[in-house]
């Protein structure tokens, strides 16, 4: 009940006013049955605008930190993420990754619409980063189709690093379902899984118009790798300086 109250009464009207969402390709979402929604990830608001424009309820796999806070704030945060369809997963090690995969399988067996962010975390600079293979393994082991989803403009409504909301224009663009049945029986093969997730990321790049970076976003955030230079930004800066 709370999910629909937030969507249509408590949060939905405000988000619609702020982002004026435009939706493309919504006909690709089936009226029933399990589907994996593979989305790029620009801002926290991705997890709000995507459910806002889809008639069916979407369940997301969310980092467990959202559910482990203490005190009144922690309890309220845990309650909110639970009622809006978020399921906690631990991302700390291989055992946790398998547990997350098992949780995702269970949700798909229940016929749910499962939202996933193959980059694993929000983009640090608006570009599209290398996808993790968990989504590919899930698609291969279940045979469930993958629908790529491009979120555009959510980082304007909700700038990264802030809790502020601003006026902008959000576009949610759905691609055609991707069928990987040609790889039946090859789940667990890391080369096939990499090929599948790279195919998904290629579709997301086309839908979103983002520049693709072939390293993991998490490695940029933890400082283990340095983001490659955005030459387009440099070129524009040089022109402005000249």
């Amino acid at each position: 009940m709370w999910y629909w109250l937030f969507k249509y009464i408590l949060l939905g009207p405000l988000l619609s006013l702020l982002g004026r969402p435009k939706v493309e390709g919504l006909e690709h979402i089936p009226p029933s049955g399990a589907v994996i929604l593979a989305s790029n990830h620009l801002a926290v608001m991705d997890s709000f605008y995507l459910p806002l424009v889809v008639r069916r309820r979407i369940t997301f796999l969310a980092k467990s930190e959202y559910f482990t806070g203490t005190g009144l704030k922690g309890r309220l945060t845990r309650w909110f993420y639970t009622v809006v369809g978020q399921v906690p997963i631990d991302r700390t090690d291989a055992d946790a990754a398998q547990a997350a995969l098992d949780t995702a399988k269970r949700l798909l067996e229940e016929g749910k619409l499962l939202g996933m962010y193959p980059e694993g975390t929000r983009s640090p600079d608006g570009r599209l980063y290398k996808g993790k293979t968990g989504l590919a393994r899930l698609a291969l082991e279940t045979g469930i189709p993958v629908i790529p989803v491009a979120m555009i403009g959510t980082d304007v409504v909700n700038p990264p690093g802030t809790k502020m909301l601003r006026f902008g224009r959000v576009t949610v663009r759905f691609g055609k379902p991707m069928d990987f049945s040609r790889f039946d029986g090859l789940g667990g093969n890391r080369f096939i899984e990499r090929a599948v997730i790279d195919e998904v990321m290629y579709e997301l790049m086309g839908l979103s118009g983002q520049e693709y970076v072939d390293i993991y976003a998490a490695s940029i955030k933890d400082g283990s790798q340095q983001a490659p230079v955005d030459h387009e930004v440099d070129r524009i800066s040089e022109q402005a300086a000249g």
Side-chain angles (χ1 to χ4, degrees), residues 163-179:
K163 296 182 180 180
M164 298 295 295
L165 295 179
R166 302 174 181 175
F167 287 100
R169 184 64 188 268
V170 171
T171 298
V172 184
R173 185 173 293 145
F174 297 92
K176 295 179 180 180
M178 304 178 71
D179 177 13

Side-chain angles (χ1 to χ4, degrees), residues 3 6 9 30 36-37 75 79 97 99-100 116 125 127 138 143 152 155 161 167 183 187 210 212 230-231:
Y3 180 94
F6 275 113
I9 298 176
I36 301 169
L37 298 179
R75 289 195 296 272
W79 171 80
M116 297 183 70
D125 56 15
R127 290 183 284 181
L138 182 63
I152 303 169
D155 52 343
F167 287 100
F183 297 124
Q210 290 170 280
Y212 179 73
D230 186 335
H231 295 291

Side-chain angles (χ1 to χ4, degrees), residues 128-175:
L128 183 69
Y129 281 78
K130 186 176 183 177
K132 297 190 173 183
T133 57
L135 185 147
R137 178 172 296 185
L138 182 63
L140 290 172
E141 292 185 0
T142 63
I144 301 297
V146 176
I147 295 180
V149 187
M151 306 299 297
I152 303 169
T154 50
D155 52 343
V156 175
V157 174
N158 173 213
T162 76
K163 296 182 180 180
M164 298 295 295
L165 295 179
R166 302 174 181 175
F167 287 100
R169 184 64 188 268
V170 171
T171 298
V172 184
R173 185 173 293 145
F174 297 92

Side-chain angles (χ1 to χ4, degrees), residues 70-142:
T70 58
L72 178 60
K73 181 180 179 181
R75 289 195 296 272
L76 287 174
T77 300
R78 182 166 56 252
W79 171 80
F80 174 77
Y81 279 104
T82 299
V83 300
V84 297
Q86 309 264 354
V87 175
I89 58 168
D90 185 351
R91 306 181 297 179
T92 55
D93 54 32
D95 290 338
Q98 184 58 51
L101 186 64
D102 292 341
T103 297
K105 286 182 179 179
R106 175 179 58 80
L107 294 170
L108 291 172
E109 287 171 357
E110 296 171 359
K112 295 188 183 296
L113 203 57
L114 180 65
M116 297 183 70
Y117 298 113
E119 291 169 276
T121 188
R122 294 189 299 276
S123 171
D125 56 15
R127 290 183 284 181
L128 183 69
Y129 281 78
K130 186 176 183 177
K132 297 190 173 183
T133 57
L135 185 147
R137 178 172 296 185
L138 182 63
L140 290 172
E141 292 185 0
T142 63

